Amino acid sequence: MYGNFTLKQEPVILGLESSCDETAAAIVRGRSLICSEIISSAAEQAKYGGVVPEIASRAHTDAVDEVTKRALAAAHMSVQDIDAVAVTYGAGLLGALLVGLSFGKALAYSLNVPLIAVNHIRGHMAASYLTDPEIQPPYITLLASGGHTAILHTKTELASVVLGGTCDDAAGEAFDKVARTLGLEYPGGVNIERLAKSGQPSIKFPSPLIRRDNGFAFSYSGLKTSVINYMHNAEQRGEKVNLADVACSFQHAAVDPLAERAVQCAKSLGVSTIVAGGGVVANGYLRSRLTSLCKENSLRLVLPEKKFCTDNAAMIAEEGCTQYRHGNFSSMDVNAKAQIPL
């Protein structure tokens, strides 16, 4: 630990995010979001059909100082107004993470303020505070992103129990791989959703839900493979495929079990609130399915705005606020991690 500082009731926290292809900075005061800025390299990555780690890392190096300056300007603040720096240290692309973490360390050290190393996945889980700053555990958390898919029982701000998770591909990963199979551009999720709007769920693809004696799990590898085989078999037979129907059918198969199981978990545990986070939660069909199921079962649903479901620094700052209140600060030797256990 370094420096001397006094904890504040409403700290001004700068959040930094650089785990993939978004370089982002945001500022919160307590639970109130002041500004959120993003510089994305997604357009450059799309040329290669996905994220190229080296290109992403170089883009972060070019953008991290600029995006921080934009955030401070939008908040009408200077760096001297910052009470803590929260920065993603994992999980993600190692080189990309190191850019943001190194910048965050240097800034925190120069200001003599706490450094808060944030788990990217906990950031996604904290995005709900951007919608409802007063939300209190316990609640069920549906996490659906490019790297993780899980349903958790969030018992306290710091403690969650995994009720069921994916044992191979995550939901977002499956969306990207299926999109590539359908000839859609990166990022896959938004393009599958767009195509699915003109289709019907007329094709029976397997559910990713796996039932186990001690609970349940998800397996998106089989669903992804089923779509790939469907396309290849049709090609071998010389049949024309309705891509919109394939996209719509896949979307239903991928999303329905997530919404249904989250509601079932809430009811079985006697929990009245469901929150959700992760890039897949930006999917319009998932949002509408969750909304209708929660209404049918008299459950409260807290969904982040779509722009806060995908990678952003506002969620990192919100998780930083949680850790700040509990005094969980990081030393300057904290290192980036490509993987962090859920």
Side-chain angles (χ1 to χ4, degrees):
M1 192 50 64
Y2 58 95
N4 296 309
F5 47 85
T6 302
L7 294 184
K8 298 182 178 181
Q9 286 294 108
E10 297 288 322
V12 174
I13 296 178
L14 170 68
L16 299 170
E17 157 63 19
S18 67
S19 64
C20 193
D21 56 354
E22 313 282 12
T23 314
I27 296 174
V28 298
R29 180 180 283 110
R31 286 289 186 206
S32 299
L33 177 64
I34 298 174
C35 66
S36 178
E37 299 289 329
I38 294 177
I39 297 177
S40 177
S41 65
E44 182 67 20
Q45 309 294 341
K47 299 176 183 177
Y48 306 94
V51 178
V52 180
E54 177 65 19
I55 294 175
S57 299
R58 290 179 181 274
H60 289 308
T61 303
D62 293 338
V64 64
D65 182 59
E66 174 61 25
V67 78
T68 301
K69 288 178 179 177
R70 289 186 189 180
L72 289 167
H76 304 290
M77 291 181 177
S78 70
V79 288
Q80 282 71 36
D81 296 311
I82 301 301
D83 296 314
V85 177
V87 57
T88 305
Y89 79 100
L93 303 175
L94 194 57
L97 290 165
L98 284 168
V99 174
L101 183 59
S102 298
F103 184 88
K105 284 182 181 181
L107 185 58
Y109 185 83
S110 68
L111 296 174
N112 193 35
V113 299
L115 173 72
I116 304 170
V118 173
N119 181 334
H120 180 81
I121 301 307
R122 282 192 59 87
H124 277 305
M125 294 167 64
S128 294
Y129 288 117
L130 295 164
T131 299
D132 183 359
E134 303 302 322
I135 188 173
Q136 294 290 331
Y139 47 76
I140 295 297
T141 299
L142 170 60
L143 173 64
S145 70
H148 291 82
T149 300
I151 296 175
L152 306 95
H153 183 196
T154 300
K155 296 185 174 183
T156 70
E157 283 188 333
L158 299 180
S160 296
V161 176
V162 178
L163 302 175
T166 185
C167 50
D168 41 57
D169 288 356
E173 187 178 3
F175 266 89
D176 283 337
K177 291 179 178 178
V178 168
R180 192 176 301 120
T181 300
L182 299 184
L184 302 177
E185 293 184 354
Y186 174 86
V190 65
N191 289 312
I192 282 184
E193 181 183 357
R194 185 178 296 117
L195 179 60
K197 289 179 180 179
S198 58
Q200 297 294 325
S202 57
I203 306 166
K204 182 64 175 179
F205 290 127
S207 170
L209 182 64
I210 301 173
R211 301 186 184 277
R212 294 178 170 174
D213 292 339
N214 60 343
F216 67 94
F218 296 101
S219 173
Y220 280 91
S221 178
L223 172 58
K224 171 203 67 181
T225 301
S226 180
V227 177
I228 293 173
N229 288 340
Y230 179 89
M231 295 294 294
H232 285 175
N233 290 338
E235 182 182 2
Q236 291 295 318
R237 294 192 294 265
E239 297 175 356
K240 185 177 181 180
V241 174
N242 186 319
L243 295 181
D245 285 352
V246 175
C248 185
S249 300
F250 163 75
Q251 183 173 255
H252 277 248
V255 161
D256 283 340
L258 292 174
E260 292 164 4
R261 181 56 64 170
V263 169
Q264 290 169 2
C265 287
K267 292 176 66 178
S268 65
L269 292 172
V271 177
S272 61
T273 301
I274 294 177
V275 307
V280 179
V281 178
N283 179 275
Y285 176 69
L286 174 57
R287 296 171 78 88
S288 64
R289 189 78 177 117
L290 275 171
T291 299
S292 61
L293 284 175
C294 285
K295 184 176 181 180
E296 290 171 13
N297 291 275
S298 300
L299 296 171
R300 180 170 174 245
L301 176 64
V302 181
L303 289 176
E305 292 181 48
K306 288 187 177 184
K307 65 181 178 180
F308 295 131
C309 294
T310 52
D311 291 350
N312 65 90
M315 68 184 192
I316 302 302
E318 286 289 348
E319 176 59 16
C321 181
T322 296
Q323 300 300 330
Y324 181 97
R325 294 211 319 265
H326 291 273
N328 293 335
F329 305 131
S330 304
S331 62
M332 283 296 165
D333 61 0
V334 63
N335 204 355
K337 294 185 178 181
Q339 295 182 329
I340 301 176
L342 185 61

